[in-house]
Amino acid sequence: MSYCLAIQTRHGLVFASDSRTNAGLDQANVARKLFTFVKPGERAFVLVTSGGLSLSQSVLAVLTGEYHVGKGLASAETMYDAARCVGDAVRAVAARDREHLEKDKVAFNVNFIIGGQIAGQAHELYLIYPQGNPLRATPESPFLQIGESKYGRPILDRAVRYDSTSLEQATKLALISLDSTMRSNLTVGPPVDLVVYHAGELRVRQQMRFGADDPQLVTIRTQWEQELRAAAQRLPEVKFPEG
Amino acid sequence: MSYCLAIQTRHGLVFASDSRTNAGLDQANVARKLFTFVKPGERAFVLVTSGGLSLSQSVLAVLTGEYHVGKGLASAETMYDAARCVGDAVRAVAARDREHLEKDKVAFNVNFIIGGQIAGQAHELYLIYPQGNPLRATPESPFLQIGESKYGRPILDRAVRYDSTSLEQATKLALISLDSTMRSNLTVGPPVDLVVYHAGELRVRQQMRFGADDPQLVTIRTQWEQELRAAAQRLPEVKFPEG
């Protein structure tokens, strides 16, 4: 499995991904799952991906090939079109591989999130299903997750708000969500890739990779655990009926 | 789905369960999933269950029938034997129903957690798989979950310690874990049943049901959300390399 998420607020976008890949319990490896396509001042896209690594690599190969000849993500006129480019690439790979996978009962499973901005338009965020169709994040549902998403969801449900959450806060929440998932599930592992995109910038200025022992990640992990315990201590004690 | 959990600390046991049952998305109903078998001063058992309601009802019918004639849980000599009684009841129901379910590709899926104490022995906690075999909680793995367990796991991983967590704290953590799951997953719903068993008491003194709008549950939910947001605010801001 993998775990990737992206948060959209009125101020921009935050993307985070783990880097663990595995075939069953064997062959655990590190693979980057976060990619950027940027023409500074004109367009900036960030993609994260989960599912079969062979499949996501093929989709990236299609997208990169198009991009270098000025097609696909290089010429998409809207964020919706960009999401459709990713979906078309997924379908192109499905046309080539799906039947062969299914002969051996391997599911065609690859998921993408793409977010970003094109000059003169709003920043947007989409999830692309393995069937190639897009789903857009909205102010009411301001985050998207792919892969092993359940462990890291409650903190997002409770704390992410499109209007009021700052990008700095969203960044911390994304790292908490990912770190909690790594703690509870062995198939999600470091390093963690992170991009914070500020609306209107049309370039990727804040990008970073955190190893397992990165001091900032260790501080967040340690302090968060202490904060949770202290917060639970402060809750009122449960009172039972007299019995 | 359902979500039930139990925590074991050196001071005793905490059990919590939701009450939602459903067949697909239809037929959402309320059903109790927490049961007690107590002979005060001699033995006290608490069970929670997830999986097919028809199956768990049948297992309970077997256990209750045995109990009323002094067999099964009424005469088990150790907690391990008690866990085996539950497993035997699961296997008796499997022998009757499994083949018929599988004809229509319905899985035989029912899970139990049983915890409690027999006079003169330590309190213990077991999970019973659908195959009837038991798994015991240990000081290193001091909680057990059945059903929709992923949403509510990170808070338990981060905060429950066999040696140092008080029963009052474990009670709050169990409610947080359940409430977070209800918030993030529609198939887990109120009311919430809760039992706190204090080691050595050999009776169930603290038991309670929380409706969706129970004032104590609402306070915990509201305050917890505020605490999480404030705790994230207090984490240091992520610093990116100069780029």
Side-chain angles (χ1 to χ4, degrees):
Chain A
M1 280 298 261
S2 307
Y3 176 44
C4 304
L5 76 154
I7 298 172
Q8 178 174 16
T9 78
R10 69 165 54 256
H11 308 292
L13 303 161
V14 176
F15 302 83
S17 73
D18 85 311
S19 301
R20 185 158 293 170
T21 75
N22 59 294
L25 291 176
D26 298 329
Q27 299 183 37
N29 276 309
V30 169
R32 172 175 286 273
K33 301 174 190 174
L34 184 150
F35 306 89
T36 58
F37 293 81
V38 181
K39 297 190 176 189
E42 183 199 312
R43 61 184 61 221
F45 303 124
V46 182
L47 279 76
V48 291
T49 180
S50 73
L53 180 60
S54 156
L55 301 175
S56 61
Q57 285 178 346
S58 291
V59 173
L60 259 299
V62 171
L63 290 171
T64 306
E66 292 172 345
Y67 192 77
H68 286 152
V69 296
K71 294 185 180 171
L73 294 177
S75 60
E77 295 191 354
T78 64
M79 277 304 301
Y80 177 79
D81 289 342
R84 280 295 189 182
C85 287
V86 178
D88 289 345
V90 169
R91 288 173 183 174
V93 174
R96 212 163 161 177
D97 290 338
R98 182 171 179 144
E99 176 189 347
H100 299 273
L101 295 174
E102 292 183 345
K103 275 183 194 163
D104 282 328
K105 305 206 185 306
V106 176
F108 182 85
N109 182 32
V110 63
N111 293 275
F112 280 84
I113 295 172
I114 179 171
Q117 191 169 20
I118 293 172
Q121 303 176 28
H123 61 291
E124 291 185 357
L125 185 65
Y126 290 85
L127 186 153
I128 318 298
Y129 290 104
Q131 294 76 24
N133 52 317
L135 173 80
R136 184 163 55 83
T138 64
E140 298 79 22
S141 299
F143 63 86
L144 296 171
Q145 303 171 287
I146 53 179
E148 189 62 81
S149 62
K150 293 185 180 182
Y151 301 102
R153 180 162 183 135
I155 181 64
L156 304 176
D157 274 332
R158 294 208 191 254
V160 174
R161 298 293 177 268
Y162 177 84
D163 275 319
S164 57
T165 304
S166 69
L167 275 184
E168 292 73 21
Q169 179 84 338
T171 302
K172 293 186 255 176
L173 295 169
L175 288 178
I176 293 166
S177 178
L178 238 165
D179 192 63
S180 299
T181 305
M182 293 196 294
R183 168 77 187 262
S184 292
N185 189 297
L186 280 182
T187 70
V188 178
V192 170
D193 284 304
L194 176 74
V195 164
V196 180
Y197 175 76
H198 296 254
E201 290 198 342
L202 294 167
R203 64 193 180 106
V204 171
R205 183 169 54 86
Q206 295 189 318
Q207 176 166 10
M208 136 163 231
R209 167 167 276 204
F210 301 84
D213 300 325
D214 179 278
Q216 292 197 81
L217 195 58
V218 169
T219 299
I220 285 178
R221 178 182 305 149
T222 309
Q223 187 174 331
W224 184 247
E225 189 158 315
Q226 291 164 350
E227 292 274 6
L228 286 188
R229 291 178 189 213
Q233 292 280 8
R234 285 190 293 270
L235 293 181
E237 278 193 17
V238 175
K239 295 212 184 316
F240 290 86
E242 300 294 320
Chain B
M1 281 296 261
S2 307
Y3 176 45
C4 304
L5 77 155
I7 298 171
Q8 178 175 16
T9 79
R10 70 165 54 256
H11 308 291
L13 303 161
V14 176
F15 303 83
S17 73
D18 85 312
S19 302
R20 185 158 294 169
T21 75
N22 59 295
L25 292 176
D26 297 330
Q27 298 183 37
N29 276 310
V30 169
R32 171 175 286 273
K33 301 173 190 174
L34 184 150
F35 306 89
T36 58
F37 292 82
V38 181
K39 296 190 177 189
E42 180 198 314
R43 62 185 60 222
F45 304 123
V46 182
L47 280 75
V48 291
T49 180
S50 71
L53 180 60
S54 157
L55 301 175
S56 61
Q57 284 179 346
S58 291
V59 174
L60 259 298
V62 171
L63 290 171
T64 306
E66 292 172 346
Y67 192 77
H68 285 151
V69 296
K71 295 184 178 172
L73 294 176
S75 60
E77 295 191 355
T78 65
M79 277 304 302
Y80 177 78
D81 289 342
R84 281 295 191 183
C85 287
V86 178
D88 290 344
V90 169
R91 289 173 182 173
V93 174
R96 211 162 163 178
D97 289 337
R98 182 171 179 144
E99 176 189 347
H100 299 273
L101 295 174
E102 292 182 347
K103 275 183 195 164
D104 283 327
K105 305 205 186 306
V106 176
F108 181 83
N109 182 33
V110 63
N111 294 275
F112 280 84
I113 295 172
I114 180 171
Q117 191 169 19
I118 294 172
Q121 303 176 26
H123 60 293
E124 291 185 357
L125 185 64
Y126 290 85
L127 187 153
I128 318 298
Y129 290 104
Q131 294 76 24
N133 51 317
L135 173 80
R136 185 163 55 83
T138 64
E140 298 79 22
S141 299
F143 61 87
L144 297 171
Q145 304 171 287
I146 53 178
E148 189 62 82
S149 62
K150 293 184 179 183
Y151 301 101
R153 180 162 183 135
I155 181 65
L156 304 177
D157 275 332
R158 295 209 190 253
V160 174
R161 299 292 176 269
Y162 178 83
D163 274 320
S164 57
T165 303
S166 69
L167 275 184
E168 292 73 19
Q169 179 85 340
T171 302
K172 293 188 255 177
L173 294 170
L175 288 178
I176 292 166
S177 178
L178 237 166
D179 191 62
S180 299
T181 306
M182 292 196 293
R183 168 75 187 264
S184 291
N185 189 297
L186 279 182
T187 69
V188 178
V192 170
D193 283 304
L194 177 74
V195 164
V196 180
Y197 175 77
H198 296 255
E201 290 198 343
L202 293 167
R203 64 192 181 106
V204 172
R205 181 169 55 85
Q206 295 189 318
Q207 175 166 11
M208 138 163 230
R209 166 167 277 202
F210 301 85
D213 300 324
D214 179 278
Q216 292 197 83
L217 194 58
V218 170
T219 299
I220 284 179
R221 179 182 304 148
T222 309
Q223 186 174 331
W224 184 248
E225 188 157 315
Q226 291 164 350
E227 292 275 6
L228 286 187
R229 291 179 188 212
Q233 293 279 9
R234 285 191 293 271
L235 293 180
E237 277 193 19
V238 175
K239 296 211 183 317
F240 290 85
E242 301 293 321

